[in-house]
Amino acid sequence: MSSKYYQKYFLSYANLPCSPDVLLNIIRMRRYSRLAHYATAQLRAETMSRLEQVEAKYLHLQNSSSEIQHLQKEISRCLQFSAGDEEIDLVSLDEFYASAPESISRPEVTKTNEHEQRLARLTWEVAQRKALLDTLTEQEGRRNVLTSSINGKEQRLKSLRSKISSLMTAAKPVQEALGVGNASASSAEQRSLFSLLPHDLSVLYVQAEAYRDIMEDLTFHISMSPIFIF
């Protein structure tokens, strides 16, 4: 009870006679009232303090739960991560340790650490593929050079074929004047086939013609099959 209430209470009963016991009880009531107010204030303060602690812990719990969920998502993402090297066909471990230099294989580390072993094998695979790529580039360069050389020779052979045909045409009157007109191809077909002969066969054919001029009973001709002498 408040002090104003007690003042009104005492004023209303001030003129009434009272015994010492009544006064003592009133004093006790005021004392108990003050103690009750003090205890209530203490409990209220303690309750507010505990409530603040609970709210702080609850907020910390929410933050921790959010952080745990975030970490779980990151862990799942890491577990599901694919670097793209799973499908690479690497050399076997025995071949790797036998062929790779120790600066890459590092057996004292990689044999006890699977992750380092995987990195070392990938490093060796990259080095091997670079070496193969360099070899491929070199071989392609050589192929291009050979292709250019072959194309140039083919062009020269084509031009040489026309020159041979022109030479045979120009030599025909001379052969007829010397009486060796039959030494060359006796027809357009024979001249065409003669122009297709390789160098060795063309030389052999000319020598055979010369021999035929000496041996009049010898005859031969060019066909799509090898040369037959009758």
Side-chain angles (χ1 to χ4, degrees):
M1 298 180 182
S2 64
S3 59
K4 291 182 179 181
Y5 175 80
Y6 287 110
Q7 289 177 0
K8 291 174 64 178
Y9 179 79
F10 282 113
L11 288 174
S12 61
Y13 293 97
N15 297 324
L16 296 176
C18 59
S19 63
D21 294 335
V22 173
L23 292 175
L24 182 60
N25 290 332
I26 292 173
I27 293 172
R28 287 176 178 174
M29 289 177 62
R30 292 186 64 184
R31 180 173 177 272
Y32 292 152
S33 177
R34 289 178 179 177
L35 291 174
H37 280 291
Y38 178 76
T40 302
Q42 291 293 325
L43 289 174
R44 185 180 290 111
E46 185 178 357
T47 302
M48 293 300 297
S49 176
R50 295 290 180 87
L51 183 60
E52 290 177 357
Q53 293 178 3
V54 170
E55 289 179 351
K57 290 183 178 180
Y58 180 71
L59 181 60
H60 180 69
L61 177 62
Q62 286 184 331
N63 293 335
S64 299
S65 299
S66 299
E67 187 174 356
I68 289 173
Q69 291 178 357
H70 175 70
L71 291 176
Q72 287 177 345
K73 290 181 180 179
E74 291 297 323
I75 291 172
S76 299
R77 185 180 301 175
C78 291
L79 292 176
Q80 295 174 359
F81 174 76
S82 175
D85 63 325
E86 293 82 0
E87 298 180 358
I88 297 178
D89 188 14
L90 301 177
V91 297
S92 63
L93 286 175
D94 294 337
E95 184 179 354
F96 168 69
Y97 285 112
S99 58
E102 291 189 359
S103 59
I104 295 178
S105 62
R106 297 180 300 161
E108 69 280 358
V109 176
T110 56
K111 287 187 176 181
T112 57
N113 191 321
E114 185 177 355
H115 178 67
E116 292 294 333
Q117 184 184 82
R118 183 71 177 181
L119 292 178
R121 294 178 69 187
L122 289 173
T123 301
W124 176 240
E125 185 69 21
V126 170
Q128 289 292 95
R129 294 194 179 194
K130 285 183 178 179
L132 291 175
L133 181 60
D134 293 339
T135 303
L136 176 62
T137 303
E138 181 182 357
Q139 294 297 330
E140 286 181 347
R142 292 181 179 179
R143 184 194 64 184
N144 293 334
V145 171
L146 291 175
T147 302
S148 300
S149 177
I150 291 172
N151 291 334
K153 290 180 180 180
E154 287 180 349
Q155 293 297 329
R156 287 195 294 272
L157 287 175
K158 289 180 180 179
S159 62
L160 183 61
R161 182 176 300 173
S162 61
K163 291 180 180 179
I164 291 176
S165 299
S166 300
L167 181 61
M168 291 179 62
T169 302
K172 184 177 180 180
V174 178
Q175 291 176 344
E176 292 177 352
L178 295 176
V180 293
N182 294 329
S184 62
S186 59
S187 64
E189 181 181 1
Q190 289 292 297
R191 288 194 297 272
S192 176
L193 293 175
F194 178 77
S195 65
L196 298 176
L197 291 176
H199 176 71
D200 294 340
L201 289 180
S202 62
V203 172
L204 180 62
Y205 182 80
V206 172
Q207 292 177 352
E209 282 188 330
Y211 185 77
R212 184 192 59 187
D213 292 338
I214 298 174
M215 305 296 295
E216 296 181 354
D217 57 345
L218 179 65
T219 60
F220 59 89
H221 67 279
I222 302 173
S223 64
M224 296 302 294
S225 58
I227 297 176
F228 293 97
I229 300 177
F230 301 97

